[in-house]
Amino acid sequence: MRRRAIAAAAAFALPVLTGCGAADMTKQSSPYADAHGARTVTLSVQSWVGAQANAAVAQYLLKHELGYRVDTVQIDEVPAWDALSQGRVDAILEDWGHPEQEQRYVADKKTIAPGGELGVTGHIGWFVPKYFADAEPDVTDWKNLDKYAGLLRTAESGGKGQLLDGSPSYVTNDKALVRNLDLDYQVVFSGSEAAQITQIKQFAKEKKPFLTYWYKPQWLFEQVPMTEVKLPAYKEGCDADPEKVACAYPHTPLRKFLNARFADGGGRAAEFLKKFHWTTEAQNEVALMIADRKLSPEEAAERWVRKNESTWRAWLPD
Amino acid sequence: MNTEPPAPSGPSVPSGPPVFSVRELWKVFGPKADRVPADPDLAALGPAALRERTGCTAAVRDVSFDVRKGEVFVVMGLSGSGKSTLVRCLTRLIEPTSGSIAIDGEDVLSMDASRLRQLRRHRAAMVFQHFGLLPHRSVLDNVAYGLEIQGIARAERRERAAEFVTKVGLEGMEHRRPAQLSGGQQQRVGLARALAVDPEVLLFDEPFSALDPLIRRDMQEEVVRLHGEEGRTMVFITHDLGEALKLGDRIALMRGGRIVQLGTPEQIVGAPADDYVRDFVRDVPREQVMTVRSAMRPAGPAETDSGPALAPDATVHEAIEAVVRSGGTARVVEDGRCLGVVGHADLLGVVAGLAPRTEAA
Amino acid sequence: MSTTATPAAEAGAPLTGGVARHRTALIGGAALVALLLGTVLLGGGGWPAHFAVDLSGPMGDTSDWITDNRDSHPLFLYFFGHISNVVVLSVRAVYLVLLAIGWAGVTAAAGLVAGCLAGLRPALTAVSAFALCGLLGMWVPTMQTLALMVVAVAASVLLGAVLGLAAGLSGRVHRALRPVLDTMQVLPAFAYLLPVVLVFGIGVPAAVLATVVYAAPPMARLTALGLRGADAGVMEAAASLGATGRQRLLTARLPLARKELLLGVNQSIMMALSMAVIASVIGAGGLGDRVYQALASVDVGAALAAGVPVVLLAVVLDRVTGAAGERIGAAPARGTGLGWAVAAAGTVAVALVGRCTDRLSWPDAWTVDIAGPVNSAVDWMTAHLYSGIPVVGGTADWAARFTTWVLDPLRDGLQWLPWWAVLLLVGVVAQLIGSWRTALTAVLAMAAIGVLGVWDPALDTLSQVLAAVAVTLLAGVAIGVVAARSPRLERVLRPVLDVFQTMPQFVYLIPVVALFGVGRAPATAAAVVYALPAVVRITAQGMRAVDPVAMESSRSLGATGWQQLRQVQLPLARPALLLAVNQGVVLVLAVVIIGGLVGGGALGYEVVFGLAQGDLATGLVAGAAIVCLGLMLDRVTQPVGRESRDA
């Protein structure tokens, strides 16, 4: 009897604690938001440095020009959509194209609103270092790749050539590509971009040939010049079935997305983020400062902001 | 065997209504334990055979006795004889398998949980071999623990506890933790805790076995003193014959779950019921236990007036001194009447264990 | 075993040795027969496809259903929603309080609480630790992590205590709960993330709940252990005084179990802290997120700046709870009430001063940038150690050689073995070390991996675990033996081991990438570093616990140091050594899985992939396989009589 009473009390305690009725967890913001009386914007930062550069500059301006407190959370691309729809983050500044998520959250549920383009165009591809391409010019065509498989063998790739892939979170068709193009290569996932960059740098230092999945814009090109390997040309819809892909990656205009409620009620911060628009070169400049010169993102952003006032003035809300 | 409550009342045994009255008590451990006492065939089996047939062990077998008001009743036996199980059955710390137990005429086995708690809280308190003190409480709070359980308010119970801390000689140590005390001091705390609830009966389960010999003697004297002061009924479990003889008004000697002999120390030593008991008491200094009552012979015509007078419960040891001094016989006198006399031969006969007089048995 | 003299020991040895040999021969014979039968009847090859179940369809559907219904289905609105709400509200409340007290107030409170609970030294440690967190520029993330920790630990302790109470009081609950708790204890933290994310989505509630699930079992175990282990004599004394069941529980059983309860809290805190960092993968924020972000840009310096506060928090909390535990049962606490009053007043005063002077946030000017110097040091290291050192080669060369000569043959060998031979091997090893029951569980767990359809990646993970365990044991036992013999070395080693053991698993990943590049080698290296302290500690304890009489008698017979070690110490320390193997395996597995983040591949990668791509089907299958692998490894190395684990 008493036990039942306790169980009943426990069952009631939860709703009482959180207010009666339904509790929609898809509409809960981060517990760290809006502390200290300051309005807080939570930005999702993906793991690559370009995205950090976006966030750093946005954060700097939101903080110093508009008086917001900014939290950044690192979330992988796909879960970030989910978090964005729940309002646990307010904005994603750089999305590389997730049609399935866009359909679900923007078109169907309307919990996420498009925030316009970032101004940067992204492109994924297979790359070899320039010193390698200079020495063996025909490596830049996928048809000749098998010729060099032996040269690109590593401990991790077994008997085949190594195609170095990056973080599991990135958009990649490489396994299918290798299979469908019937290449003598093994895709080796480095598990994170950090690991991949470390590896590329080490290869470059020793001038060893390598083949890697990589993307533009990326600051690493400044340090390790790389040449893209031509894959069968991209045609609209050729990557529709991920199992049968046998063509290159498209050029994607990168886009911003905002939580729908934030887009409407986010005031000046939301307006600013919608207007945020810069160039590949600008992003690279900041990214290089962060990743290569090891400045803190805030410091890097500060330096860029000081030099480029005319650019960012236009982003501020009227 | 001596399982029926024997009537003999030596002069030193206080008489009165029984506090505990135990009849045909069994405690069997193992699967389906009930059938063992119920089935005469099984009940008659020895331990090994019983274990083989039923997987059960009978710790207490068909035990009956009375504990009289004001006496120190000792249950003595070697380890495994069932004595500790027996004492736990009295307050149902171990649930007996069959038989009956009555305290002041009230049936213990039919008590409900709350009545049983009342019994444990107010009527019978126990002192344990390993003390059972709460390590996180001070001496004072340990002594007050029984009162706390009864729901007595903090100030009052601490006041009463302090009184008993003094009584057992632990003044000044009220705020120590048990771990900071010696074994003897810890057992004093255990004793004070039992006394503090002012129980009708004190149950001791080998309370001094874990102590050093010297401290054990102190503690035994403490118990003798307390019994002398308060006259509280005590049931005392021990495996030490010396302790049993020293403290017990009556002793129940257990073996294999049964009581093999129940009687006064003098009866046990003077008239062992069987070879087991005889073997057990062989090394006892008989002159310290036996009284002149069992050593005396009827007085000859010339002996009724001469010689020193002795009380009937004087030990043989004392009589030897008197007889040696007088050079002749000594008279045993009770209420001015001469019951008999003891001489050299009588006393030596007792010491040698020869021809025990059957008068007392 | 006799302790009097060596002859007696030798007389005993052939007897037990004979039985053991007999048993070994029996099992070996049976295995051989099975091997022949298997070859004839089953043939070779990996796990047959028709025995595998493809779960990705149903799991994908479930995942989609949950995402679609999270904002509409009553189960989410009225149950999970409230849980999530409570978590968010409580974390927020704690966080706001911490911010309101300000940095000075928090530091003062930490010092005063540590002082009241544990004494002066822990108090100083606490104050300097918090000050250092501020100095490193990590004040706000530290507070976020602290807020999350407070809530997660409170919930874990509560949940664990309730479960432990049930198990401690009811034998039936205990029997039902124990295998579950035992299993949860060996599971890598990573395996907990996915199911929670599935229900709650990325964010703080998921992080808190994953942490609770991870941190509650030790509390439950220790609570049950403490309650069940209550001194029977004291309990009987309480009963004899007429205590009711409730009185017995509150006045005797619970107080008697205080040491275990406090140890449970300590363990829960440690587990929660290590999970709070891993949970950054699912959006926990705070320090873990900073480590994770720094890891993403190979910024070892920044990762260290965020990792150091984690370690500091761990050390402070460990010291304070540990010291509080040791104080129990000692002198009666005098004037504790006063101490707490002073602590509370002091905190309020400092917080007010902070408020009035408007110094709530850690002053920016007071931060020290360690990232720069650390990065230069790391650069220098990678530049000079990484490769091209004459004769010994660089770390990268070692990594490559280790991969080529150890990891590859091991993986290929395991994958080449027919599937039934692997099962047989697992069964035989488990049987030799443990009992029929452990062998059966191990074989079933291994078979489950095949059924889940991840046989090859699981064997890949297994090969990494085996390689790492081998290295760990070689190094750990050697160090342990030496440490047991040299008190001086032990004194030097001890604080190092302490710190290493309290460090969250994540922190190990950063330096190994810098040194060993990407791949399976760094994953195994991180695993070795993580598991080594426990192995060293257990070995040293086991060796020192060897009966001194046996040692003395062998010395009196003129045995050399080596003979003593081989003939007396090692055989007598066998239980400890087996325990070291067991612990080593469990710890190594945990890090090899996380190694998926630095190119370890296999199951760890699939979990990361599942999380990163929102492809929960892949992740959940891999997670389940990790669970099975952990279960298998634990059972295989499970010596008979697992009671030793509780100690």
Side-chain angles (χ1 to χ4, degrees):
Chain A
M1 194 58 215
R2 186 193 290 172
R3 196 173 295 178
R4 197 175 304 164
I6 292 172
F12 279 115
L14 271 183
V16 167
L17 265 173
T18 70
C20 292
D24 186 352
M25 67 168 124
T26 62
K27 295 191 176 60
Q28 293 165 351
S29 50
S30 158
Y32 308 130
D34 298 334
H36 244 357
R39 292 155 305 167
T40 304
V41 179
T42 309
L43 299 177
S44 161
V45 190
Q46 293 92 333
S47 53
W48 60 90
V49 182
Q52 283 190 359
N54 302 330
V57 171
Q59 178 173 7
Y60 187 86
L61 291 170
L62 279 169
K63 192 170 159 191
H64 293 95
E65 297 296 325
L66 300 176
Y68 282 86
R69 206 182 164 93
V70 181
D71 269 342
T72 58
V73 184
Q74 175 166 323
I75 309 179
D76 287 312
E77 290 176 83
V78 179
W81 279 82
D82 196 33
L84 185 63
S85 106
Q86 295 195 25
R88 293 193 180 145
V89 296
D90 295 317
I92 297 177
L93 295 180
E94 178 174 324
D95 183 75
W96 284 65
H98 292 88
E100 195 187 316
Q101 277 72 20
E102 206 176 323
Q103 177 66 34
R104 172 180 288 160
Y105 296 111
V106 178
D108 294 350
K109 294 166 98 78
K110 303 201 179 2
T111 49
I112 292 179
E117 293 192 355
L118 177 69
V120 180
T121 301
H123 175 58
I124 298 168
W126 291 4
F127 292 85
V128 291
K130 194 160 173 300
Y131 52 79
F132 183 35
D134 288 346
E136 308 285 349
D138 63 345
V139 75
T140 55
D141 190 327
W142 68 271
K143 294 190 188 95
N144 303 322
L145 278 178
D146 274 356
K147 228 167 68 184
Y148 299 97
L151 209 54
L152 297 172
R153 199 181 301 150
T154 66
E156 286 292 337
S157 66
K160 300 175 171 180
Q162 169 173 291
L163 169 56
L164 188 64
D165 253 51
S167 156
S169 69
Y170 296 176
V171 174
T172 173
N173 302 324
D174 285 2
K175 272 191 165 171
L177 273 172
V178 167
R179 191 174 59 242
N180 297 334
L181 297 177
D182 195 23
L183 294 172
D184 185 23
Y185 279 79
Q186 170 79 35
V187 181
V188 172
F189 286 93
S190 41
S192 62
E193 183 175 290
Q196 193 182 7
I197 292 175
T198 315
Q199 189 70 74
I200 291 176
K201 279 184 168 177
Q202 292 295 352
F203 280 143
K205 212 171 87 186
E206 296 166 40
K207 294 270 179 272
K208 272 167 72 173
F210 63 89
L211 173 67
T212 183
Y213 165 104
W214 205 232
Y215 62 94
K216 284 175 168 173
Q218 230 296 349
W219 57 271
L220 189 65
F221 285 105
E222 312 278 336
Q223 286 200 333
V224 183
M226 286 184 277
T227 313
E228 185 169 1
V229 174
K230 254 189 244 111
L231 291 169
Y234 175 81
K235 281 191 219 78
E236 190 65 35
C238 75
D239 54 0
D241 183 350
E243 286 301 307
K244 295 201 182 115
V245 176
C247 61
Y249 294 90
H251 288 263
T252 323
L254 307 182
R255 290 186 299 161
K256 297 169 289 179
F257 287 94
L258 273 57
N259 173 276
R261 273 175 299 137
F262 174 74
D264 288 342
R268 286 159 65 83
E271 222 172 307
F272 164 79
L273 289 175
K274 283 182 203 161
K275 283 187 174 176
F276 188 98
H277 187 281
W278 61 354
T279 59
T280 304
E281 291 72 36
Q283 192 199 46
N284 246 345
E285 190 184 337
V286 179
L288 201 63
M289 282 193 272
I290 296 173
D292 191 41
R293 290 166 58 189
K294 303 284 183 207
L295 294 184
S296 73
E298 188 171 5
E299 213 172 323
E302 193 184 341
R303 290 193 189 181
W304 184 87
V305 164
R306 241 185 272 136
K307 277 197 310 193
N308 297 278
E309 178 153 0
S310 58
T311 315
W312 57 260
R313 273 287 164 215
W315 305 342
L316 298 183
D318 312 309
Chain B
M1 228 70 3
N2 241 336
T3 49
E4 83 284 356
S9 51
S12 62
V13 178
S15 54
V19 177
F20 271 116
S21 179
V22 177
R23 292 292 176 276
E24 289 153 23
L25 192 74
W26 282 80
K27 175 61 202 180
V28 183
F29 293 103
K32 288 192 235 152
D34 309 352
R35 68 204 151 127
V36 176
D39 182 341
D41 287 346
L42 291 177
L45 290 174
L50 182 66
R51 172 174 288 268
E52 194 175 313
R53 277 224 356 227
T54 63
C56 293
T57 315
V60 175
R61 292 169 160 256
D62 194 20
V63 163
S64 301
F65 61 87
D66 281 341
V67 177
R68 299 192 196 111
K69 196 164 184 59
E71 78 171 325
V72 177
F73 185 87
V74 173
V75 180
M76 118 116 236
L78 300 181
S79 62
S81 61
K83 56 190 189 304
S84 285
T85 308
L86 177 62
V87 75
R88 281 168 173 73
C89 285
L90 294 181
T91 55
R92 284 169 62 192
L93 285 174
I94 291 178
E95 203 63 50
T97 309
S98 74
S100 73
I101 301 168
I103 180 166
D104 295 328
E106 186 183 354
D107 184 7
V108 174
L109 298 188
S110 64
M111 286 180 174
D112 63 8
S114 85
R115 189 80 193 124
L116 184 63
R117 272 203 300 277
Q118 291 309 314
L119 162 71
R120 292 177 184 169
R121 285 182 182 182
H122 300 290
R123 295 163 79 177
M126 195 152 165
V127 180
F128 295 89
Q129 178 177 5
H130 297 294
F131 324 134
L133 302 179
L134 295 165
H136 58 286
R137 295 187 168 208
S138 66
V139 166
L140 190 64
D141 284 331
N142 261 297
V143 173
Y145 185 51
L147 302 171
E148 178 184 343
I149 283 171
Q150 294 176 11
I152 292 171
R154 186 182 161 90
E156 189 192 338
R157 67 175 187 248
R158 292 193 123 192
E159 191 182 325
R160 270 165 63 182
E163 193 182 307
F164 285 94
V165 169
T166 312
K167 189 161 200 160
V168 298
L170 290 177
E171 293 148 290
M173 301 191 184
E174 287 89 347
H175 297 291
R176 298 219 187 150
R177 298 286 161 112
Q180 297 167 311
L181 302 180
S182 71
Q185 289 168 329
Q186 291 192 40
Q187 193 56 292
R188 282 172 197 268
V189 178
L191 187 58
R193 178 177 66 186
L195 288 171
V197 300
D198 190 22
E200 194 181 337
V201 190
L202 271 177
L203 308 175
F204 292 86
D205 178 29
E206 300 206 41
F208 309 139
S209 318
L211 306 180
D212 293 337
L214 283 179
I215 297 172
R216 190 182 311 162
R217 207 176 60 198
D218 285 353
M219 292 301 291
Q220 287 163 356
E221 270 150 24
E222 185 82 24
V223 168
V224 169
R225 182 176 69 82
L226 281 169
H227 186 246
E229 282 172 13
E230 302 184 327
R232 209 185 293 274
T233 313
M234 294 181 179
V235 176
F236 198 104
I237 309 296
T238 182
H239 67 254
D240 178 351
L241 184 64
E243 188 167 85
L245 296 172
K246 180 170 188 176
L247 299 176
D249 290 320
R250 288 192 304 147
I251 298 171
L253 213 151
M254 285 187 78
R255 181 196 186 190
R258 290 183 196 280
I259 293 183
V260 291
Q261 186 171 7
L262 195 162
T264 59
E266 192 174 359
Q267 286 166 343
I268 302 264
V269 174
D274 62 8
D275 289 344
Y276 178 74
V277 182
R278 189 166 299 121
D279 201 34
F280 216 97
V281 300
R282 195 172 54 202
D283 296 332
V284 171
R286 305 165 64 83
E287 72 279 6
Q288 311 263 12
V289 179
M290 303 302 291
T291 58
V292 291
R293 187 195 290 279
S294 53
M296 69 189 180
R297 56 180 163 77
E303 293 166 334
T304 43
D305 303 321
S306 64
L310 291 165
D313 54 352
T315 60
V316 170
H317 178 77
E318 289 159 348
I320 289 174
E321 197 186 329
V323 169
V324 168
R325 228 170 245 165
S326 72
T329 56
R331 292 172 302 144
V332 181
V333 179
E334 189 177 42
D335 302 330
R337 201 163 56 85
C338 178
L339 300 178
V341 293
V342 284
H344 291 90
D346 310 302
L347 295 172
L348 280 172
V350 169
V351 173
L354 296 173
R357 308 285 168 119
T358 51
E359 174 188 8
Chain C
M1 197 47 103
S2 165
T3 55
T4 46
T6 323
E10 272 174 1
L15 197 72
T16 47
V19 173
R21 253 199 302 282
H22 196 56
R23 200 171 103 106
T24 314
L26 246 160
I27 295 169
L32 203 69
V33 172
L35 206 65
L36 287 173
L37 276 178
T39 327
V40 175
L41 296 175
L42 297 169
W47 188 268
H50 53 274
F51 283 173
V53 183
D54 185 12
L55 289 175
S56 57
M59 281 201 177
D61 291 347
T62 316
S63 154
D64 283 348
W65 183 86
I66 289 178
T67 327
D68 287 340
N69 288 286
R70 213 184 265 152
D71 54 357
S72 52
H73 196 275
L75 178 67
F76 289 96
L77 289 184
Y78 294 101
F79 184 64
F80 291 129
H82 285 296
I83 293 181
S84 166
N85 231 339
V86 169
V87 171
V88 170
L89 286 180
S90 4
V91 173
R92 187 178 172 74
V94 177
Y95 181 57
L96 290 183
V97 167
L98 288 174
L99 288 185
I101 301 176
W103 66 267
V106 171
T107 309
L112 290 167
V113 167
C116 278
L117 277 176
L120 188 63
R121 268 180 68 143
L124 290 178
T125 316
V127 167
S128 41
F130 274 95
L132 205 54
C133 293
L135 270 180
L136 289 169
M138 285 290 155
W139 188 256
V140 171
T142 306
M143 288 307 106
Q144 292 181 345
T145 295
L146 198 61
L148 191 142
M149 283 278 304
V150 167
V151 173
V153 167
S156 313
V157 166
L158 206 68
L159 180 68
V162 168
L163 288 178
L165 205 61
L169 298 181
S170 145
R172 197 181 305 160
V173 175
H174 186 236
R175 275 191 299 280
L177 212 55
R178 182 161 180 173
V180 179
L181 294 181
D182 281 350
T183 306
M184 290 180 87
Q185 185 139 332
V186 304
L187 294 189
F190 239 53
Y192 291 102
L193 300 181
L194 272 156
V196 191
V197 170
L198 185 62
V199 174
F200 291 96
I202 294 273
V204 170
V208 168
L209 288 166
T211 310
V212 169
V213 174
Y214 186 61
M219 182 70 197
R221 277 178 68 98
L222 283 159
T223 308
L225 185 75
L227 291 180
R228 300 194 81 79
D231 185 338
V234 181
M235 292 315 296
E236 191 179 33
S240 83
L241 288 166
T244 60
R246 233 177 67 144
Q247 284 176 326
R248 281 203 295 274
L249 178 66
L250 293 179
T251 60
R253 207 178 269 281
L254 277 177
L256 286 175
R258 279 180 324 167
K259 264 217 152 102
E260 282 84 359
L261 291 177
L262 213 70
L263 187 62
V265 173
N266 173 295
Q267 293 274 299
S268 276
I269 290 176
M270 290 297 122
M271 304 279 278
L273 201 57
S274 100
M275 189 64 167
V277 180
I278 293 174
S280 62
V281 178
I282 57 171
L287 290 171
D289 191 62
R290 298 304 163 96
V291 176
Y292 190 40
Q293 284 190 24
L295 195 61
S297 51
V298 214
D299 191 343
V300 180
L304 202 68
V308 166
V310 177
V311 176
L312 289 176
L313 275 185
V315 169
V316 167
L317 290 169
D318 186 44
R319 290 287 145 81
V320 171
T321 46
E326 272 166 30
R327 285 198 155 193
I328 276 185
R334 201 160 303 177
T336 22
L338 186 71
W340 285 109
V342 168
T347 305
V348 169
V350 175
L352 280 178
V353 170
R355 262 215 116 86
C356 297
T357 53
D358 201 23
R359 282 254 181 186
L360 287 177
S361 311
W362 184 271
D364 282 343
W366 290 9
T367 56
V368 178
D369 180 27
I370 65 158
V374 169
N375 279 327
S376 340
V378 170
D379 285 347
W380 183 89
M381 253 170 44
T382 41
H384 292 85
L385 300 180
Y386 192 77
S387 70
I389 300 174
V391 190
V392 285
T395 47
D397 304 331
W398 296 353
R401 266 179 240 147
F402 189 70
T403 309
T404 318
W405 296 109
V406 180
L407 289 172
D408 279 351
L410 202 56
R411 178 185 64 185
D412 297 346
L414 281 173
Q415 286 176 349
W416 168 85
L417 276 181
W419 59 273
W420 47 267
V422 176
L423 293 188
L424 194 67
L425 198 68
V426 166
V428 168
V429 176
Q431 165 67 37
L432 281 177
I433 297 180
S435 64
W436 285 112
R437 284 174 72 155
T438 57
L440 189 68
T441 322
V443 170
L444 285 180
M446 199 64 208
I449 293 175
V451 172
L452 285 169
V454 283
W455 185 254
D456 279 348
L459 288 184
D460 188 354
T461 300
L462 183 61
S463 72
Q464 297 174 40
V465 170
L466 292 180
V469 165
V471 177
T472 311
L473 287 179
L474 277 180
V477 170
I479 299 175
V481 166
V482 176
R485 295 193 151 205
S486 149
R488 192 187 306 160
L489 179 67
E490 227 250 311
R491 262 200 306 282
V492 177
L493 220 51
R494 208 184 159 131
V496 179
L497 293 183
D498 276 351
V499 169
F500 271 67
Q501 214 161 25
T502 41
M503 264 210 265
Q505 302 154 358
F506 235 58
V507 178
Y508 292 98
L509 294 182
I510 311 149
V512 292
V513 174
L515 280 177
F516 299 109
V518 173
R520 284 169 291 154
T524 43
V528 169
V529 178
Y530 182 64
L532 202 56
V535 172
V536 170
R537 185 180 295 237
I538 296 172
T539 311
Q541 268 169 8
M543 299 298 274
R544 236 173 297 120
V546 165
D547 194 332
V549 181
M551 288 295 288
E552 197 173 11
S553 61
S554 85
R555 216 174 13 252
S556 76
L557 288 168
T560 64
W562 174 245
Q563 279 173 326
Q564 272 181 50
L565 178 68
R566 213 166 47 85
Q567 293 170 349
V568 183
Q569 269 185 309
L570 285 180
L572 286 184
R574 184 170 181 270
L577 292 180
L578 281 175
L579 181 65
V581 173
N582 183 273
Q583 287 292 293
V585 165
V586 168
L587 295 175
V588 160
L589 177 68
V591 177
V592 162
I593 296 297
I594 297 178
L597 288 171
V598 292
L603 292 178
Y605 172 78
E606 291 195 8
V607 174
V608 178
F609 177 85
L611 281 168
Q613 288 288 338
D615 179 357
L616 295 181
T618 310
L620 282 175
V621 168
I626 292 170
V627 170
C628 292
L629 200 62
L631 201 61
M632 186 277 280
L633 285 169
D634 178 58
R635 292 307 188 270
V636 162
T637 53
Q638 188 91 99
V640 206
R642 73 177 302 151
E643 269 62 38
S644 51
R645 285 174 65 100
D646 290 336

